[in-house]
Every structure is written in structure tokens, then in C-alpha cells.
Amino acid sequence: MKKYKVLFVCLGNICRSPSAEAVFKALIEKKGEEPDFEIDSAGTSDYHEGEPADQRMQKHAEKRGYNLTSNSRPLKTEDFDKFDLIVAMDDNNYYDLKEKARSLEDEKKIVKMTDFSRKFEYDHVPDPYFGGSEGFEIVLDLLEDAGEGLYHHMKSTKN
Ligand code: 4NP
């Protein structure tokens, strides 16, 4: 069977998208479907290339049982070929991705994480980098909620 391939994208790939990757991987593992999915994350910038996830983000994620293991990498053009869905955390990420898209086919793969929210009414996953600990908790709340919605979207639309 062909895998479902999803790439989570934020600005630095050290806070939100590595968390989205870990939260979504945990959700898929819980459902016993990890062989059917390929899950990765990237940044629209290369500001933190090669760095592990932000220490504060790691600490908050660990409290909920998520291990952030990825190292920051910038988005590559080939990501548009490889992935079925490219999931932006906020509008800046979304429009940066749209600018990098080479075709309508690429553009169609770009969505926003909060499009799949079920409980929360946020229209983006807020950047926690310059704020306090509450911001990191909100990121995780939003990702857990939208992750479920994204899973159901992928299952219902994949042919
Ligand atoms: P992220 O958070 O996009 O969720 O990884 C940020 C990381 C770094 C910066 C901004 C946001 N920065 O300005 O360096």
C-alpha cells in the first residue's frame, strides 16, 4: 500500500513543526498505523539548521510523553514531490510555502494545521518562541486536537 506522507512546516523547525511531527507520530502509533505513514517536519527558514528542538519546547512536550528527536532542516523543493500534504502552522508559513510552490499541483498540497481543529477556534498555531511557558502548552493543545482531525481528513481523502 502507498504511504500517506505528511510534512509539518513552521518558521524555525525547532518549536511547532517538530512538535507536530512528534504528536502526529504518537497518534499514528497509538492507532497501530505507523507502517502506513511517513511523517517529517521542516522550516521555511534555515535560521536553526542542524539544531535540535528548542529546550523549552522539548521540556513541555516531554511532560506529555512526546520525545522531540528531529534536527532542524529547511524546506527543499523536492518536498513538494515527496509529500502528499504540507501542513503550515500559521499564515506566514502558508504564504511562504505558496511562494515556493512550482505549480498548482504543489499549491494544492498546502494546508494549515488549524483547518483540522475540532475543539479550538484558533486560526493558526501561535509562534511560542518569544513568549512564556503558556505558549508552549497552547501549541501542544492545538496540535493534539488538530492532529486527530488531520488523521481523519487523510484517511477520508486518500485514494
Ligand atoms: P518555530 O519557532 O517556527 O515554531 O520553530 C521559531 C523559532 C525560531 C524563531 C522564530 C520562531 N526565530 O526567530 O529564530
Side-chain angles (χ1 to χ4, degrees), residues 31 38 48-49 77 91 93 106 115 136 138 144 155:
K31 296 184 189 292
E38 191 160 330
H48 295 275
E49 189 167 1
T77 306
D91 286 338
N93 311 148
D106 285 357
D115 293 344
F136 294 92
I138 290 167
E144 287 176 340
K155 295 288 279 191

Side-chain angles (χ1 to χ4, degrees), residues 14-82:
I14 55 167
C15 294
R16 293 165 293 174
S17 60
S19 301
E21 179 186 340
V23 167
F24 198 65
K25 273 185 181 161
L27 186 151
I28 295 302
E29 273 173 30
K30 209 165 144 196
K31 296 184 189 292
E33 296 187 33
E34 60 267 48
D36 298 340
F37 284 79
E38 191 160 330
I39 303 159
D40 195 5
S41 66
T44 56
S45 77
D46 61 2
Y47 302 158
H48 295 275
E49 189 167 1
E51 293 177 22
D54 183 283
Q55 290 284 327
R56 299 162 296 169
M57 192 73 251
Q58 286 200 43
K59 198 180 88 199
H60 285 273
E62 267 165 29
K63 277 198 288 177
R64 299 193 191 196
Y66 305 116
N67 199 2
L68 305 191
T69 54
S70 69
N71 289 95
S72 174
R73 72 158 178 97
L75 184 90
K76 305 179 279 213
T77 306
E78 307 89 88
D79 288 326
F80 283 103
D81 299 321
K82 178 172 177 182

Side-chain angles (χ1 to χ4, degrees), residues 34-153:
E34 60 267 48
D36 298 340
F37 284 79
E38 191 160 330
I39 303 159
D40 195 5
S41 66
T44 56
S45 77
D46 61 2
Y47 302 158
H48 295 275
E49 189 167 1
E51 293 177 22
D54 183 283
Q55 290 284 327
R56 299 162 296 169
M57 192 73 251
Q58 286 200 43
K59 198 180 88 199
H60 285 273
E62 267 165 29
K63 277 198 288 177
R64 299 193 191 196
Y66 305 116
N67 199 2
L68 305 191
T69 54
S70 69
N71 289 95
S72 174
R73 72 158 178 97
L75 184 90
K76 305 179 279 213
T77 306
E78 307 89 88
D79 288 326
F80 283 103
D81 299 321
K82 178 172 177 182
F83 292 95
D84 302 305
L85 265 190
I86 302 186
V87 186
M89 296 297 125
D90 64 25
D91 286 338
N92 286 333
N93 311 148
Y94 183 85
Y95 290 113
D96 284 346
L97 284 165
K98 288 271 181 184
E99 272 185 13
K100 290 176 200 280
R102 302 155 300 178
S103 62
L104 195 58
E105 202 185 331
D106 285 357
E107 281 198 44
K108 281 194 207 154
K109 296 182 174 184
I110 306 166
V111 293
K112 219 163 60 171
M113 189 68 181
T114 46
D115 293 344
F116 307 102
S117 295
R118 300 184 143 192
K119 294 192 296 212
F120 293 95
E121 291 190 357
Y122 282 67
D123 65 358
H124 67 290
V125 180
D127 181 351
Y129 191 69
F130 295 106
S133 50
E134 199 184 312
F136 294 92
E137 291 296 318
I138 290 167
V139 166
L140 293 165
D141 289 342
L142 291 169
L143 295 176
E144 287 176 340
D145 180 41
E148 270 298 332
L150 175 63
Y151 168 77
H152 289 287
H153 169 80

